[in-house]
Amino acid sequence: MSALAAALRARIAADGPLRLDHWMAACNAHYYATRDPFGTAGDFVTAPEISQMFGELIGAWIVDLWVRAGSPPCRLVELGPGRGTLMTDALRVAQRVPGFDAVPVDFVETSPALRAAQATRVPGAVWHAAFDDVPDDRPLIVIANEFFDALPVRHARLAPLPSREGLGEEQFVATDFAPVWLSSDTVRTGEWSDAGETVAAAIGTRLRNQGGAALIIDYGYAGESPGDTVQAMRGHATADPFRDPGENDVTAHVDFTALAQSAGVAAHGPVPQGVWLARLGIEARTAALKARATPTQAAGIEAALVRLTAPQQMGTLFKAMALTAPGWPVPAGFAA
Ligand code: SAH
């Protein structure tokens, strides 16, 4: 048994079953702190690791917004930057615009392993353990790709009839890591993320006070919850989220409506990722890259386009949503 499994077992024995979000937080803190999970040798692949086009288009999105906002002094903030690939590709494009090289980069990252990977690619960045630690001195342009799905969720429901009519129960993790429903006084039902809503509310407060915008890209839904979406990935295959704590990537789909409501500022989208990337010009970018590529490289570039945008791949399940401060322009890709 791993040290984390032993520690969780002892904690449950001493304090009783662990609420689902506390379980997920402990698993993910260990998981990200101890590895680089990306790529073919890892557990999963994210959009910036599929193709440089993803980060480049986000770089163009950032400077377009910044210039239309009047090129104010601001900070570029990324939540959960992974290997730093998205930011590297984005800065390569954004810094072609005069003045943007003066914009400082702030990374919010808890994993020491991933901070080290980010430092090799974006050496000038400043790291923070939490979004609240980002300085409050100027407008923020916040980027979060596949960050919110890693934040822990809770599950609650009305207790089944006839035993406890009207009473709520919530999912916990008990001895031997078995999920169990226990009575709870929560008034919510379904799946939600306190942690995600807290970060979204903090982003909203900062945007209102400091100005700026946020771009949130993730797999998820707007409107009605699809139910239990907790899933685990290991070695590119699904795994059991209640086994081998800290060794699988445990995630949940993102509730974009809840994030927008928590932020309390203007929200744009969510728009399906395939539609959003098409509006940003991914097809022209694909053609430009293919024009100076070998036939083998060109096939890889075309495959990346399909993977990022095709409805049955990442084009529909993944969505982009923007939040903007009062007075900031509507960002690219969100006006139909
Ligand atoms: N954006 C990257 C990585 C996504 S994986 C990409 O697209 O490739 C999730 C990222 O969020 C990792 O960098 C992970 O270490 C970080 N992370 C997860 N939970 C976090 C938390 N509570 N606070 C800060 N960073 C967190």
Side-chain angles (χ1 to χ4, degrees), residues 179-195:
V180 291
W181 291 92
L182 299 176
S183 62
S184 142
D185 53 11
T186 177
V187 292
R188 279 177 87 158
T189 58
E191 177 177 286
W192 76 95
S193 175
D194 287 342

Side-chain angles (χ1 to χ4, degrees), residues 32 38 46 48 78 80-82 108-111 114 145-147 150-151:
Y32 284 109
F38 309 102
T46 57
E78 188 175 356
V108 177
E109 176 62 68
T110 39
S111 161
L114 291 175
N145 184 64
E146 287 207 44
F147 169 75
L151 300 184

Side-chain angles (χ1 to χ4, degrees), residues 233-290:
M233 292 289 289
R234 188 167 179 181
H236 302 271
T238 54
D240 182 345
F242 299 107
R243 286 195 61 179
D244 303 329
E247 303 304 319
N248 309 313
D249 181 47
V250 184
T251 63
H253 287 210
V254 169
D255 181 348
F256 283 97
T257 309
L259 295 185
Q261 279 171 356
S262 301
V265 292
H268 313 275
V271 173
Q273 175 170 294
V275 172
W276 188 71
L277 291 173
R279 289 178 183 169
L280 295 188
I282 194 166
E283 261 142 54
R285 186 77 194 116
T286 304
L289 287 175
K290 281 167 75 175

Side-chain angles (χ1 to χ4, degrees), residues 12-216:
I12 292 168
D15 303 339
L18 200 55
R19 211 172 67 192
L20 176 65
D21 56 333
H22 297 148
W23 162 268
M24 198 170 152
C27 290
N28 277 347
H30 178 87
Y31 176 79
Y32 284 109
T34 51
R35 75 206 70 211
D36 174 340
F38 309 102
T40 43
D43 293 323
F44 60 96
V45 179
T46 57
E49 303 298 335
I50 290 171
S51 168
Q52 68 187 76
M53 294 191 288
F54 188 77
E56 288 170 349
L57 289 170
I58 291 175
W61 181 93
I62 291 167
V63 268
D64 166 73
L65 180 68
W66 181 69
V67 167
R68 286 192 289 125
S71 310
C74 68
R75 293 179 177 278
L76 183 53
V77 183
E78 188 175 356
L79 311 182
R83 284 179 172 166
T85 307
L86 187 161
M87 187 57 78
T88 306
D89 294 333
L91 289 176
R92 194 172 55 246
V93 169
Q95 290 181 343
R96 286 189 209 145
V97 173
F100 197 83
D101 54 354
V103 172
V105 175
D106 292 280
F107 279 163
V108 177
E109 176 62 68
T110 39
S111 161
L114 291 175
R115 280 189 183 200
Q118 292 153 19
T120 65
R121 294 183 178 80
V122 190
V126 172
W127 281 264
H128 310 280
F131 175 71
D132 287 340
D133 300 331
V134 173
D136 59 4
D137 54 349
R138 39 183 126 156
L140 304 177
I141 298 179
V142 182
I143 309 295
N145 184 64
E146 287 207 44
F147 169 75
F148 282 94
D149 67 70
L151 300 184
V153 294
R154 297 173 65 176
H155 282 166
R157 66 184 187 190
L158 288 179
L161 293 173
S163 53
R164 316 181 71 120
E165 187 178 356
L167 285 183
E169 50 183 34
E170 184 162 356
Q171 204 167 42
F172 285 73
V173 181
T175 322
D176 296 329
F177 306 147
V180 291
W181 291 92
L182 299 176
S183 62
S184 142
D185 53 11
T186 177
V187 292
R188 279 177 87 158
T189 58
E191 177 177 286
W192 76 95
S193 175
D194 287 342
E197 291 174 18
T198 300
V199 174
I203 292 173
T205 301
R206 293 300 198 93
L207 296 184
R208 273 191 301 277
N209 294 342
Q210 292 167 235
L215 175 65
I216 298 170

